[in-house]
Amino acid sequence: MLQDRRILLIVSGGIAAYKTLELVRRLRERGASLCSIMTAAAHHFVTPLSLASLSENKVYSELFSLTQESEMGHIRLSREAELIVVAPASADLLARMALGLASDLATATLLAADKPILVAPAMNAMMWAHPATQANLATLEGRGVIRVGPGAGELACGEVGAGRMAEPGEILAAIEAFFSRSQLLKGRKALVTSGPTREPIDPVRYLSNRSSGKQGHAIAAALAAAGAKTVLVSGPTAEPDPAGVTVVPVETAAEMLRSCEGSLPVDVAVMAAAVSDWAIAAVAPQKLKKTESGAPRLSLVENPDILASIAGRASGRPPLVIGFAAETQNLLENARSKRARKGCDWILANDVSAERGTFGGDSNRITLVRADGIEEWPEMTKREVGQRLAERIAAALAEESRSPSGARKPL
Ligand code: C5P
């Protein structure tokens, strides 16, 4: 199942590098093709010769080597791979990745990479637990880097704790899972909305809400990782653009609707944006001033309902249209009636009451409401919600393609 898969392996300095040799052997057995980079520190633990022999391919380490650069520049190394695996990923390499340094071939390649990255951290337990390392990890995971391990146990330094590189079998399983996930939505197109909208009052003020865009961005990232050509139409957020996603930045609901319509046709539309229900009727062309006569009166007009209008299209309606229901009470009842009212296929209902901390938080508890019943998901990270949703979407679209047209089952 890894036949002809192209993997760029980056080996940094750590005792665990000997386990990477075993990983290489097993990847080759499964038909993967490997090209490798070693950091300077890695040379203390394994030799380029052993890595080259086992991978049956070249091993690179010099950023400024004329022969290596003329054969294959650091840009091409990542362009030719489908996945970059960093094993072992030392604390130092993770820190340099998080900072975006490009001081050697490994980091320059990672910085120039346009491919998914999987890291297998390996280090001393104190280094692993250090807030600096944890912050670097959070930064990298926030950018979509996939992590496997580390495990806990006896470490090479003699101490016991977390920091052992995942075993070759576990890393192999993570690589296989990555490649099988990346096929799920191959050939499909997806549209996702995310973040809040901003409705201008005057040139400096606006009406908005507290949506962070974390869930919508995580869904777009998961759909793209599952192989879908994904467009993310997003209001202003602090979230980084997810890898492999075409991001269309917008401000107002009207702009969001226009960009969504311009992205059709798609196979699936997931409307996760917190669209402002109202816009200011008459936006002041100049900054409103304080006056003796008191506060200005703002009059509001209703915004278009993007979800309802995409779901209600006579032509070009995506086969699967999914909305969110953020509720503070009567979750299920409100979600069911919202599904009917908006004409969408599925609703992801979540409880956004203040005590749950969903808004801006990293986790979510979802109830998936479909025509044929509900599915309650346990509490999970917003990234996991994205992944599970991508799986459900893939299954539904596959089912839809199998059923003869005209006999379409409700999704
Ligand atoms: O009606 P309510 O805002 O609760 O509905 C939530 C769902 O509808 C979300 O999926 C949201 O993205 C979508 N929505 C929309 N356009 C609006 C209002 C909500 O797409 N104007």
Side-chain angles (χ1 to χ4, degrees):
M1 94 157 269
L2 291 176
Q3 192 63 42
D4 298 327
R5 289 299 189 192
R6 298 182 309 277
I7 297 171
L8 172 63
L9 175 68
I10 297 183
V11 184
S12 66
I15 292 282
Y18 79 92
K19 293 203 269 188
T20 303
L21 296 179
E22 169 67 7
L23 172 67
V24 168
R25 198 182 59 74
R26 291 172 70 172
L27 285 168
R28 286 293 300 140
E29 268 173 15
R30 281 158 182 77
S33 105
L34 285 156
C35 184
S36 314
I37 294 177
M38 288 172 69
T39 64
H43 288 77
H44 296 292
F45 301 95
V46 287
T47 68
L49 187 60
S50 48
L51 195 53
S53 311
L54 285 167
S55 66
E56 297 167 82
N57 205 346
K58 295 221 165 73
V59 175
Y60 298 85
S61 44
E62 298 297 330
L63 182 55
F64 298 112
S65 147
L66 192 57
T67 44
Q68 291 188 0
E69 273 294 289
S70 61
E71 271 172 14
M72 185 175 301
H74 57 280
I75 307 288
R76 260 180 69 201
L77 282 173
S78 81
R79 296 297 175 274
E80 295 194 345
E82 295 169 278
L83 172 69
I84 302 176
V85 175
V86 188
S90 64
D92 177 72
L93 188 63
L94 291 171
R96 292 191 290 145
M97 283 171 75
L99 272 176
L101 297 186
S103 43
D104 61 3
L105 181 62
T107 49
T109 304
L110 286 161
L111 192 62
D114 60 346
K115 295 294 156 43
I117 300 169
L118 184 148
V119 297
M123 65 199 73
N124 161 274
M126 299 297 269
M127 291 165 96
W128 172 249
H130 197 288
T133 303
Q134 291 303 313
N136 290 334
L137 239 312
T139 301
L140 294 172
E141 290 189 300
R143 290 181 199 146
V145 168
I146 310 163
R147 170 168 67 89
V148 52
E154 195 167 327
L155 304 174
C157 53
E159 292 180 12
V160 175
R164 269 174 76 101
M165 185 170 87
E167 295 304 317
E170 282 172 75
I171 302 175
L172 188 64
I175 293 171
E176 286 179 331
F178 164 81
F179 279 112
S180 68
R181 219 174 26 244
S182 72
Q183 299 302 303
L184 276 178
L185 288 166
K186 206 135 214 112
R188 302 289 192 180
K189 274 189 76 184
L191 166 67
V192 181
T193 67
S194 183
T197 63
R198 273 185 192 168
E199 309 299 335
I201 296 170
D202 66 15
V204 298
R205 302 183 178 91
Y206 57 81
L207 186 69
S208 191
N209 60 66
R210 294 184 196 279
S211 167
S212 64
K214 283 186 179 175
Q215 186 60 81
H217 277 58
I219 289 170
L223 294 175
K229 203 161 182 300
T230 305
V231 175
L232 172 63
V233 180
S234 178
T237 79
E239 288 295 293
D241 289 354
V245 170
T246 305
V247 180
V248 182
V250 295
E251 293 233 339
T252 65
E255 286 168 12
M256 186 173 272
L257 177 60
R258 233 177 297 127
S259 297
C260 286
E261 287 171 341
S263 307
L264 298 178
V266 296
D267 297 289
V268 57
V270 185
M271 309 278 106
V275 183
S276 168
D277 289 322
W278 307 287
I280 308 297
V283 179
Q286 304 299 334
K287 186 182 167 201
L288 294 172
K289 298 264 185 228
K290 272 191 210 167
T291 60
E292 304 261 302
S293 51
R297 288 198 165 273
L298 298 178
S299 110
L300 302 176
V301 286
E302 216 160 287
N303 261 335
D305 191 307
I306 299 167
L307 174 60
S309 81
I310 297 288
R313 284 175 71 93
S315 77
R317 182 198 191 274
L320 185 53
V321 180
I322 304 171
F324 270 79
E327 304 290 344
T328 53
Q329 53 188 353
N330 301 335
L331 186 76
L332 213 47
E333 208 177 296
N334 288 335
R336 283 199 173 110
S337 64
K338 191 163 291 180
R339 187 182 158 276
R341 202 168 59 246
K342 306 249 188 184
C344 60
D345 301 293
W346 300 352
I347 283 276
L348 298 177
N350 57 346
D351 182 354
V352 291
S353 48
E355 63 274 16
R356 297 237 346 106
T358 301
F359 256 24
D362 287 321
S363 68
N364 215 342
R365 194 156 79 214
I366 295 284
T367 305
L368 172 60
V369 180
R370 309 164 65 138
D372 55 0
I374 66 157
E375 213 183 277
E376 289 198 23
W377 296 356
E379 168 122 19
M380 34 182 145
T381 62
K382 290 182 176 175
R383 184 161 333 128
E384 288 165 341
V385 167
Q387 285 173 354
R388 187 173 286 203
L389 183 63
E391 286 164 20
R392 297 294 185 273
I393 290 170
L397 291 178
E399 169 105 346
E400 207 242 3
S401 318
R402 273 196 300 274
S403 63
S405 54
R408 190 172 160 244
K409 244 180 56 184
L411 283 163

